[in-house]
Amino acid sequence: MTEASAPAQDPVRVDVAVAGGGAAGLAAAIALSRQGWDVAVIGPTAPRRDGRTIALMDGSVRILQQIGVWPALEPLASPLVTLTIIDDTGALFRAPPTSFQAGELGLDAFGQNIEAAPLTAALAEAADQRPGLSRIDDSAASLRTNPDKVVLSLKSGRRVEAALVVGADGRHSLVREAAGIRAREWSYTQTAVTAILAHERPHHDTSTEFHTREGPFTLVPMQGRRSSLVWLLAPEKAERVAALDDAAFAAAVEKQAQSILGAMRLDGPRGAVPMGGVTVDRFAGERSALVGEAAHVFPPIGAQGLNLGLRDVAALAKAVGPVGGDPGAPDRLAAYDRARRIDVRSRTAAVDLLNRSLLSGFLPVDIARGLGLMALSSIGPLRRFAMRQGLGTAP
């Protein structure tokens, strides 16, 4: 029998199809499967090690505990006990360094830092162990929605039918496009250089963020005397820094860090990622919901990226509810959309404003930013409110 005359495969039928095999998509699939839904994750899970880590704030750790995956992740993580911000813009008006202690909120740590690739791999392993959850190592080529179901046509020729599709397929989301959800995209004149480094002095579980004229330069603690780097630079400078050999690269990082951790050496992969942003006009459409970077993208400031995506996951699981009825019903998706609007939009606007204020060099903007940091440093209730907001915790 020739391939052309072979009978077509029967479609895979599930309650929920999750498009995207990254961390947000896997977490969504696990959360929904734990509620009894039959779930399929569509997308390859082959995370690339490029020196990126994820600072999982306390609220995100709690979500991962709730969906049963934190025990597998905890051995890979390093606590974030102190967060320090240093104004290194060279502005005429600069606030003194500002530090926040987890103990001020009665916590042992603000969160946990974990390398991105092992995080995704551990989530994939947890997904493989879930009954009622299957993973399809393929990609969606097209999809169509109607009032009764969603049909995804995969690149291999297979089809998947579901009552709900979750778009966790990144900033160029096919699910978002098919659902007719409008997105606004923009770019920054910045590239994030990422790396993992070993250093001479202990970090004391402190994450240090230098605010520079090109954007934040952040060192986040890892296990042992190691830290991960996120360094936002103008694209031309980022290209030059990325081209340095390992020893020269480590020396450049040490200099930019004002040698607070002593001599450095490269201790893992490094990468470079152009910076941009995405925001959407709604978070759900007909039988469709967006999570993670399909719904929001912004620079790595304040550790909000995947933390916001995990809050998407928690809100979606709550809106869809335990097994029973229709997971893609309009009222459930409307509840999810309402739940995410204020959180996502306020944080996207705040991060965008802070990033642009660093790039501006306009004196009144420098003064406003400096006064804001001074207020955070000296006004106790404001400090605690800001810390809880950063954690994704209600005030």
Side-chain angles (χ1 to χ4, degrees):
M1 184 180 293
T2 66
E3 183 176 342
S5 60
Q9 281 186 308
D10 290 334
V12 176
R13 293 185 174 89
V14 292
D15 298 318
V16 182
V18 178
L26 291 165
I30 294 167
L32 292 167
S33 75
R34 285 175 63 87
Q35 296 185 154
W37 301 106
D38 191 16
V39 182
V41 180
I42 302 161
T45 301
R48 182 169 60 92
R49 299 181 77 110
D50 58 4
R52 278 188 283 183
T53 62
I54 306 295
L56 296 168
M57 295 293 100
D58 183 69
S60 295
V61 172
R62 294 185 189 189
I63 292 168
L64 293 170
Q65 289 171 337
Q66 290 167 5
I67 66 174
V69 300
W70 182 246
L73 299 173
E74 189 171 13
L76 307 175
S78 181
L80 308 175
V81 176
T82 304
L83 306 178
T84 296
I85 298 174
I86 298 173
D87 189 334
D88 194 26
T89 59
L92 290 175
F93 186 89
R94 286 179 288 173
T98 302
S99 291
F100 304 90
Q101 303 290 335
E104 295 179 65
L105 298 180
L107 300 173
D108 293 330
F110 286 112
Q112 303 283 332
N113 192 37
I114 183 170
E115 193 176 349
L119 167 66
T120 303
L123 285 168
E125 185 175 348
D128 288 338
Q129 296 171 0
R130 283 291 314 159
L133 197 166
S134 58
R135 288 202 298 128
I136 301 173
D137 189 4
D138 202 345
S139 298
S142 64
L143 68 90
R144 68 178 189 275
T145 63
N146 59 49
D148 299 318
K149 65 183 178 183
V150 181
V151 180
L152 294 93
S153 299
L154 309 187
K155 290 183 178 178
S156 64
R158 301 174 70 186
R159 286 187 300 134
V160 177
E161 296 181 358
L164 170 66
V165 61
V166 178
D169 48 347
R171 65 180 65 195
H172 304 298
S173 171
L174 176 66
V175 174
R176 187 180 69 217
E177 181 181 357
I181 297 174
R182 292 193 302 273
R184 182 173 70 89
E185 299 187 40
W186 65 92
S187 60
Y188 297 99
T189 54
Q190 294 166 303
T191 295
V193 175
T194 59
I196 294 172
L197 299 112
H199 38 76
E200 180 182 19
R201 298 174 188 153
H203 48 55
H204 300 297
D205 299 327
T206 298
S207 176
T208 304
E209 183 169 289
F210 293 84
H211 287 176
T212 80
R213 273 292 173 231
E214 293 175 290
F217 168 96
T218 309
L219 291 167
V220 190
M222 298 181 69
Q223 293 178 348
R225 294 190 179 187
R226 302 167 68 236
S227 293
S228 61
L229 166 73
V230 181
W231 188 0
L232 268 62
L233 292 164
E236 302 80 10
K237 187 173 180 180
E239 187 175 346
R240 294 195 300 271
V241 168
L244 295 172
D245 63 39
D246 289 353
F249 179 86
V253 173
E254 179 190 347
K255 181 179 179 181
Q256 185 65 46
Q258 301 176 11
S259 295
I260 60 171
L261 296 175
M264 292 186 166
R265 63 176 175 81
L266 202 66
D267 194 44
R270 46 176 165 149
V273 184
M275 289 292 95
V278 174
T279 187
V280 296
D281 67 341
R282 53 197 169 98
F283 299 87
E286 185 179 59
R287 296 203 169 274
S288 308
L290 305 179
V291 301
E293 290 196 347
H296 42 75
V297 177
F298 45 76
I301 298 174
Q304 291 300 309
L306 183 58
N307 290 287
L308 205 57
L310 289 173
R311 293 205 292 281
D312 296 341
V313 168
L316 180 62
K318 181 178 180 180
V320 170
V323 68
D326 181 357
D331 59 334
R332 300 187 188 196
L333 294 177
Y336 172 65
D337 181 53
R338 288 193 301 271
R340 297 311 295 140
R341 283 177 181 263
I342 294 176
D343 185 25
V344 172
R345 289 177 179 171
S346 63
R347 291 171 195 276
T348 301
V351 168
D352 180 67
L353 179 63
L354 175 57
N355 191 42
R356 293 185 189 278
S357 77
L358 293 173
L359 299 174
S360 76
F362 187 45
L363 182 59
V365 174
D366 285 339
I367 292 172
R369 187 181 62 252
L371 288 173
L373 284 174
M374 290 176 68
L376 288 176
S377 179
S378 59
I379 303 174
L382 181 61
R383 281 172 64 83
R384 290 187 288 275
F385 175 82
M387 286 188 281
R388 291 191 185 101
Q389 287 297 306
L391 296 177
T393 305

